[in-house]
Structures are given as structure tokens and as C-alpha cells.
Amino acid sequence: MRILLVEDEQKLANSLANNLRSEGFAVDLAFNGESGKDHALTYAYDLIILDVMLPVIDGSEVLKIIRAKNRNVPILMLTARDSVQDKVKFFEAGADDYLTKPFSFAELFVRVKALLRRRLASQVDVIQIEDFELDRMTHIVKRAKKRIDLSNKEYALLEYLAINAGRVLSRSMIMEHVWDQSFENLTNIVDVYIRQLRTKIDEGYKAKLISTVRGSGYVFGKEAID
């Protein structure tokens, strides 16, 4: 899953981003409201963490701009303001939750997981294709009812493929969604992880779920082309 973190305190932002990445998330960083707005309106995110006190454009204004374009993405506000009036204003503007500074990463992570669970509850919880099953709530993956152990990054890649089953995904698209940014000269890392997934998901099964579309990328849910 991909998170946008908009926070002008760079030390705090980098610390939070590193902790979120260690939990298996891809994280984009923006250090002012203008950059955060542009990211939010350009790319698809599963969650946005948005500080209120931002340079260039205030976080409250960024929230309103995002909500005018996207009603669905969960938004967690970070704020030093703890008055009831301020909290009511955030919710009325479209925030899903808020966290008062200072806070621990453990507290932030609990809020992040709760918001993502709420979002997933309105979507498909379990993806099933043939004898393959991926539970997005528990991150449990099975093939022919046999549980498959995956690393955080392997799961993130597999979930992205499964959500987009039947759609050809380029290496660049995968890099941008599953990893933290686009590395045009390092897209071979996608091939490495695809090979690892094939070993765990397809090896030993007649029906192959991960297919290569030569010159284009990968597609999930069809017989292998190569």
C-alpha cells in the first residue's frame, strides 16, 4: 500500500517514513502544502498523512482541495492544536482522523491501520482467483488452501498484482506503487521479486497466475505467455 506523508519537519518526516517502510508501506514525502497537494492530485494513494501547519499552503486548505477531488482516500491530520473547535473543523473539512503532536510512532501506526481497515471494509476483503486466495485484512495468502509465507515487499507486490488482475502492469508502474519512487535503471528489482513470487505462488501448480507480457510488463490471473 502507498502512503503520502506531508510534513515540513524533515527529521520527523524521514523518521516516520522509515518506520512506515519497515512495516511494508511505500511512502512518498512532501515537505510543503503545494508539493503535498500536487502529489495527492497526481498519484493514487491508499492513505494521506497531512500536517496542519505547512509552508506555502496550509494543511487545512490542502485538505479541502483534496476532498474537492477525492472523497475516498483516508486522510489523517497531524496537529499541535487540540481544542474541540479545531478538531470539529478538521472533521467538517473531510478529515478521517487526527493525531495531536507530540506522538509516538506506535500511536500513529495504530491510527494508520484502523483507517486502512475501514477503507478495506468498503472494498473487497478477499481476492480469489482459481485456487488462489489473498485476504487483504489479515495479509494471509493461500494457494490450494496451503498458506504461503511472504515478506512485506513480496506481499505488497502480490497484492498490487492481484488487485489489478487481468491488467498489464509495467515495471515502472510497479516500482512507483510498491517501492518508494521510480528507479528507471533499477527496474530489474521488479523481475527479481517476480521470480521470487513465481517460486512461491506458481511453482508446482499447473495453472500459472503470474504472466509476462513481452515488452510491456506483467499480468496476474492468466496462463503464462512466456
Side-chain angles (χ1 to χ4, degrees):
M1 290 188 172
R2 193 170 193 83
I3 292 175
L4 172 62
L5 172 58
V6 189
E7 167 61 65
D8 65 317
E9 296 179 44
Q10 295 195 22
K11 186 176 180 180
L12 173 61
N14 288 324
S15 175
L16 294 177
N18 289 335
N19 278 293
L20 287 167
R21 287 166 183 151
S22 72
E23 296 293 340
F25 296 102
V27 183
D28 287 344
L29 284 173
F31 299 114
N32 63 65
E34 180 72 26
S35 177
K37 171 186 70 74
D38 290 344
H39 274 75
L41 299 183
T42 302
Y43 305 103
Y45 292 100
D46 298 291
L47 175 74
I48 295 174
I49 301 173
L50 179 62
D51 187 35
V52 173
M53 301 297 291
L54 291 171
V56 188
I57 302 178
D58 183 79
S60 297
E61 185 62 28
V62 175
L63 171 63
K64 294 176 184 177
I65 294 170
I66 295 172
R67 277 292 175 249
K69 299 289 185 179
N70 188 337
R71 293 285 180 183
N72 298 319
V73 62
I75 299 178
L76 170 63
M77 302 296 291
L78 305 181
T79 176
R81 306 169 184 170
D82 59 359
S83 71
V84 173
Q85 292 88 344
D86 284 322
K87 295 169 185 175
V88 169
K89 281 171 55 180
F90 297 148
F91 285 124
E92 288 182 343
D96 295 279
D97 200 356
Y98 69 90
L99 193 55
T100 305
K101 294 180 177 181
F103 54 83
S104 67
F105 176 72
E107 186 178 6
L108 174 77
F109 190 48
V110 167
R111 303 294 184 93
V112 166
K113 288 195 296 183
L115 288 174
L116 290 174
R117 278 199 302 268
R118 193 185 309 169
R119 183 173 190 244
L120 290 175
S122 64
Q123 300 175 347
V124 176
D125 292 338
V126 179
I127 299 173
Q128 291 182 306
I129 301 172
E130 307 263 345
D131 57 355
F132 168 85
E133 181 179 301
L134 182 149
D135 190 319
R136 300 183 68 197
M137 298 291 285
T138 64
H139 289 195
I140 291 175
V141 176
K142 295 179 181 179
R143 183 88 198 258
K145 298 184 178 180
K146 180 181 178 181
R147 184 164 176 170
I148 299 169
D149 293 324
L150 301 170
S151 68
N152 284 337
K153 195 60 69 178
E154 287 172 341
Y155 175 83
L157 172 56
L158 182 60
E159 182 186 58
Y160 184 53
L161 291 170
I163 290 171
N164 292 281
R167 177 187 177 194
V168 178
L169 301 174
S170 70
R171 289 170 178 81
S172 295
M173 290 169 65
I174 292 171
M175 283 296 298
E176 289 176 2
H177 187 91
V178 179
W179 278 265
D180 297 311
Q181 52 188 303
S182 177
F183 298 103
E184 293 184 2
N185 60 335
L186 292 177
T187 51
N188 63 317
I189 195 173
V190 174
D191 301 329
V192 172
Y193 272 85
I194 288 289
R195 284 197 295 272
Q196 292 174 190
L197 281 182
R198 278 179 164 153
T199 298
K200 295 183 177 184
I201 300 297
D202 282 342
E203 196 169 277
Y205 296 95
K206 183 178 179 180
K208 309 302 181 184
L209 294 174
I210 302 173
S211 305
T212 301
V213 179
R214 292 190 184 280
S216 298
Y218 297 99
V219 63
F220 190 81
K222 293 182 179 181
E223 285 288 330
I225 294 171
D226 55 349

